[in-house]
Amino acid sequence: KYIEIYNATGSSVDLSSYAMWKITNGGSWPEYTLSLSGLLASNGVYIIYHGSSNPTIVAAGDITWSQASFNGDDAIGLAKNGVLIDAVGEDGPDPGSGWDVAGTTDATKDHTLVRKCSVIAGNTDWNLSAGTDALNSEWVVLSQNDWSDIGQHTSPCQSAPVYGCTDSNS
């Protein structure tokens, strides 16, 4: 329904040298391409969405793309000057229903994936990015249609307050 790009560089980024790539049901990069444009402010989020998305997504979105519809086994990537710099999924054979993420089977199907707040750079190694459990994955797997994080990426991570005495010698 949508995908977000987060700018952690500390300055505005000219998106004209970037493109979204998509592979449907297995194949090689890029099967579909969306060239980007405009400026993305530091700590800003750019949202690419399908025109038939939920009104919450449309209201937050920056640009529509007919290929921003995902069925679980579609790979999506961010390229800069024709070089892949980040990806969800990977090129190659059709993975079946979807890719496993953070220990969740077929997590790219019927779930919302949110990048952990500690991740501020792209990763083209999908196996490393997806991880094998919630601790070593770069992603948090939410239920389907959970858009509570749309338009934001908190970095650095907000730590939870610690209440009570933290002095082990007292």
Side-chain angles (χ1 to χ4, degrees):
K1 302 183 194 303
Y2 72 98
I3 189 156
E4 298 180 338
I5 302 169
Y6 170 65
N7 175 8
T9 66
S11 59
S12 292
V13 171
D14 178 0
L15 294 176
S16 65
S17 52
Y18 292 85
M20 291 305 303
W21 289 355
K22 181 181 177 186
I23 302 170
T24 303
N25 306 323
S28 300
W29 297 111
E31 188 175 321
Y32 299 96
T33 300
L34 172 68
S35 297
L36 303 179
S37 63
L39 288 177
L40 179 55
S42 176
N43 296 315
V45 176
Y46 189 82
I47 301 172
I48 301 163
Y49 65 98
H50 192 275
S52 65
S53 294
N54 177 283
T56 300
I57 296 169
V58 173
D62 293 292
I63 188 171
T64 58
W65 186 29
S66 63
Q67 291 301 315
S69 58
F70 311 104
N71 64 6
D73 64 352
D74 300 333
I76 188 84
L78 177 65
K80 181 178 182 184
N81 296 320
V83 177
L84 187 67
I85 61 170
D86 198 12
V88 174
E90 58 191 348
D91 61 347
D94 187 336
S97 295
W99 284 279
D100 298 349
V101 181
T104 301
T105 302
D106 292 339
T108 56
K109 180 178 176 50
D110 299 333
H111 294 91
T112 300
L113 300 182
V114 175
R115 213 61 172 284
K116 289 181 179 177
C117 60
S118 59
V119 180
I120 58 170
N123 188 348
T124 58
D125 183 337
W126 175 244
N127 288 323
L128 183 64
S129 178
T132 57
D133 59 38
L135 294 176
N136 66 18
S137 176
E138 293 183 355
W139 301 90
V140 175
V141 179
L142 302 175
S143 61
Q144 184 177 23
N145 299 333
D146 182 333
W147 307 310
S148 58
D149 261 9
I150 194 167
Q152 62 185 344
H153 183 86
T154 305
S155 180
C157 298
Q158 302 294 320
S159 60
V162 176
Y163 298 103
C165 181
T166 59
D167 183 352
S168 60
N169 294 321
S170 64

